[in-house]
């Protein structure tokens, strides 16, 4: 029984940490909503958010998309 409680505690800790810590990759931004309203935009790096209150509403790529034109 003690082993089950230890495993459950460790699992819950990792799950909570995954909800609090957000790592934003380079050339990407995360749009954060708090209670359904825009709160902030997270740029590349390590960020901490409030779990169950804030959520990543949109992930936007900042990569350039080439547009090809046919110059005839």
């Amino acid at each position: 029984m003690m082993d089950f409680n230890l495993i459950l505690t460790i699992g819950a800790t990792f799950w909570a940490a995954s909800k609090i810590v957000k790592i934003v990759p380079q050339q990407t931004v995360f749009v954060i909503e708090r209670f359904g309203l825009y709160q902030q935009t997270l740029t590349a790096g390590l960020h901490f958010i409030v779990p169950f209150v804030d959520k990543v509403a949109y992930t936007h790529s900042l990569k350039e998309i080439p547009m090809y034109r046919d110059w005839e």
Side-chain angles (χ1 to χ4, degrees):
M1 189 64 172
M2 186 68 162
D3 291 336
F4 177 73
N5 290 338
L6 180 64
I7 291 171
L8 186 63
T9 303
I10 291 172
T13 303
F14 281 119
W15 179 77
S18 72
K19 295 292 184 185
I20 294 172
V21 176
K22 294 295 177 191
I23 299 174
V24 182
Q26 289 183 350
Q27 297 183 347
T28 305
V29 293
F30 287 174
V31 175
I32 301 296
E33 286 184 354
R34 179 170 288 173
F35 298 121
L37 300 174
Y38 171 80
Q39 179 65 27
Q40 63 183 341
T41 302
L42 302 180
T43 56
L46 179 69
H47 299 278
F48 300 96
I49 65 171
V50 180
F52 307 112
V53 176
D54 294 341
K55 72 173 187 170
V56 177
Y58 182 70
T59 302
H60 182 71
S61 174
L62 299 176
K63 295 179 182 177
E64 293 182 2
I65 300 173
M67 295 182 67
Y68 298 105
R69 295 192 85 177
D70 189 14
W71 299 99
E72 292 187 56

